[in-house]
Amino acid sequence: MVVSLALYQPDIAGNTGTILRLAACFGLTVDLIEPAGFDASDRALKRAGMDYLAMAALRRHADFASFVKERPPQSRLVLLTTRAETIYTDFAFQPGDCLLFGRESAGVPAEIHSLADARLKVPMVSGGRSLNLAVTAGIVAAEALRQSGWQSARGAAPSGSP
């Protein structure tokens, strides 16, 4: 079981579409925790996801409580936040980890922050506030997959790799 990605009430359709495309290309599941700040038929979502949306494994949840109830009990909830102390490359990812990303505008509420099994950050130069959500998801998902031996488990590098 590889890692999964969870989006807590995403605000920007383009970011969600890009993350769905990422997930489709790497065989990851995306949990979308409602309410989202856009309609699922949003043009930006479709434009960013292109024809990969049909390939993406997407699970929608009416709210965070529904997400928690439906999440596999053995999976760790790993929150990506600018308020974390641990850098994502210093963390030992495990198969089944769920990488949780908060709203672009506000992150996750304190009560959800406190439920995370781990809180990680992507380091930036001084003065940088935050990275784009889809960029962060790609960076951290790649590291989690690298640590879990994703390429060797499939016998070869993903198509399109040198």
Side-chain angles (χ1 to χ4, degrees):
M1 178 203 275
V2 297
V3 298
S4 62
L5 310 175
L7 307 178
Y8 178 83
Q9 300 179 355
D11 294 319
I12 302 173
N15 282 337
T16 300
T18 300
I19 291 168
L20 287 168
R21 183 176 179 177
L22 169 81
C25 288
F26 287 101
L28 306 176
T29 299
V30 175
D31 289 285
L32 188 107
I33 303 162
E34 301 279 358
F38 53 87
D39 185 287
S41 63
D42 191 297
R43 284 184 32 203
L45 175 67
K46 290 179 180 173
R47 184 173 51 247
M50 298 175 57
D51 55 344
Y52 293 89
L53 293 181
M55 293 173 50
L58 174 64
R59 294 184 294 223
R60 298 179 87 101
H61 306 277
D63 52 30
F64 190 75
S66 298
F67 165 72
V68 169
K69 185 176 180 182
E70 297 169 19
R71 194 168 66 94
Q74 71 278 14
S75 73
R76 297 184 303 177
L77 190 60
V78 180
L79 176 63
L80 279 296
T81 173
T82 57
R83 299 183 308 199
E85 296 296 321
T86 305
I87 296 172
Y88 77 103
T89 52
D90 293 338
F91 184 74
F93 291 97
Q94 298 175 1
D97 282 346
C98 179
L99 309 179
L100 175 62
F101 301 89
R103 296 184 80 146
E104 292 93 338
S105 61
V108 297
E111 61 271 12
I112 292 173
H113 203 279
S114 67
L115 292 175
D117 296 302
R119 285 164 286 290
L120 309 177
K121 69 178 177 181
V122 176
M124 298 176 287
V125 298
S126 179
R129 273 185 314 134
S130 64
L131 290 168
N132 172 280
L133 180 68
V135 170
T136 302
I139 290 169
V140 179
E143 176 62 13
L145 290 170
R146 184 195 69 79
Q147 286 187 25
S148 67
W150 184 80
Q151 283 183 279
S152 62
R154 285 164 178 70
S159 64
S161 294

